[in-house]
Amino acid sequence: MGDALDITIRRERGVVIAAVAGDVDISTVARLRECLFELADGGGTLIVDLNRVAFIDSSGLGALVGAARRAAAHGGSLHAVCARPQTRKLLWLTGVDRRIPLAATVDGALMFLAASRDAPG
């Protein structure tokens, strides 16, 4: 599709948030994978905001799952944010939503994480 991909990293409430914008496909996935894997190696909680992703193919889905596995291997976790109906449907159809917790907004993901931390057990 294209090679325009923007990734912005910020920290909020002790969580690393990677906001991705543009197309995630074979021509851009290497950059996304490298960024997410590096963040996942930190072992903390990582939220990937996909709300500004116009297109994502199987290579992008693979990068997300790979980053989630890598985060888990380092004692962390990866969560995805997406309100776009087409992208959410793709995540559901491919089963990615069963491997990676999905929220519609960053605030929703942060509230879920806070509730999970506060839950007894």
Side-chain angles (χ1 to χ4, degrees):
M1 289 234 128
D3 54 19
L5 186 70
D6 183 49
I7 305 168
T8 305
I9 310 299
R10 71 180 195 272
R11 293 187 186 279
E12 189 173 325
R13 297 186 227 172
V15 175
V16 176
I17 302 167
V20 183
D23 293 341
V24 180
D25 58 27
I26 195 70
S27 67
T28 60
V29 75
R31 181 165 172 254
L32 177 65
R33 185 182 304 109
E34 180 181 306
C35 178
L36 294 182
F37 279 25
E38 183 178 319
L39 293 169
D41 285 346
T45 302
L46 171 61
I47 295 175
V48 181
D49 183 351
L50 303 171
N51 276 324
R52 293 181 49 223
V53 169
F55 175 84
I56 186 167
D57 68 6
S58 61
S59 65
L61 297 178
L64 290 173
V65 171
R69 283 189 188 133
R70 193 149 177 159
H74 287 88
S77 63
L78 183 138
H79 301 258
V81 168
C82 184
R84 296 174 67 96
Q86 285 181 304
T87 305
R88 286 181 76 89
K89 185 175 181 180
L90 179 65
L91 295 170
W92 174 73
L93 287 171
T94 58
V96 171
D97 68 326
R98 290 187 297 275
R99 295 176 167 255
I100 299 171
L102 184 61
T105 65
V106 170
D107 283 341
L110 290 169
M111 286 191 304
F112 172 80
L113 288 165
S116 297
R117 283 187 212 126
D118 295 341

